[in-house]
Amino acid sequence: MTVPETDSLRARSSPVRRRAWRTQAPVVAVVALGGALGATARYAVSQWLPTPAGGFPWAIFWVNAFGCAVIGVFMVVITDVWGAHRLVRPFFGTGVLGGFTTFSTYAVDIQRLVDSGHARTGLAYLAATPCAALVAVWLAMTAARRVLKWRQR
């Protein structure tokens, strides 16, 4: 490729890149803002319900279960009821709830429990968290749909 061809290609793709960035920048911004809010809320819960050494990490367990329940209700509302603004789902679903729920801390907690000689507690946590998360999202979605049906009567 010669230099003029490279410059021509750059000139043609530059407006496309700027347009793509303009449409994606708000999404990135609301995800970041929501993530900061969600992670701050999770941190507050973990400070409010500290886990003793070798103890079951109840704070993160309940954060993940509650967060999944909220995700279930949120998905029903924005898919079945409300034509939300295009930034609501990235802000609340990906940002706030993604920052609030934490399967990375869940994995670290399991590793710490096993490494500190509390393998049974770690295995119980390993099994209980995804089960609670799945049950929570299913129950929340089912309840939200039932409430919507009841209100439509």
Side-chain angles (χ1 to χ4, degrees):
M1 195 180 311
T2 66
V3 173
E5 289 173 358
T6 304
D7 290 340
S8 173
L9 181 61
R10 220 178 266 138
R12 282 184 296 191
S13 65
S14 183
V16 172
R17 283 185 185 162
R18 278 184 289 206
R19 192 174 25 233
W21 176 245
R22 279 190 208 127
T23 60
Q24 292 303 311
V27 175
V28 171
V30 299
V31 168
L33 177 63
L37 294 172
T40 301
R42 174 177 25 97
Y43 177 76
V45 171
S46 71
Q47 295 302 299
W48 183 53
L49 297 170
T51 302
F56 192 90
W58 287 107
I60 300 303
F61 175 82
W62 290 116
V63 158
N64 285 334
F66 178 74
C68 286
V70 174
I71 288 169
V73 171
F74 178 65
M75 292 308 294
V76 168
V77 168
I78 67 168
T79 58
D80 296 356
V81 178
W82 180 39
H85 185 276
R86 74 178 191 93
L87 296 177
V88 170
R89 193 173 184 170
F91 171 73
F92 191 71
T94 305
V96 174
L97 294 174
F100 184 65
T101 58
T102 172
F103 285 89
S104 58
T105 301
Y106 156 75
V108 169
D109 285 344
I110 293 165
Q111 186 66 48
R112 285 184 183 158
L113 286 165
V114 171
D115 289 348
S116 66
H118 299 93
R120 285 188 195 160
T121 304
L123 290 173
Y125 184 49
L126 175 70
T129 296
C131 290
L134 290 171
V135 168
V137 76
W138 180 79
L139 285 173
M141 289 179 76
T142 302
R145 286 193 175 116
R146 285 188 180 169
V147 167
L148 289 174
K149 276 186 181 178
W150 176 77
R151 287 189 58 157
Q152 291 173 350
R153 289 182 188 181

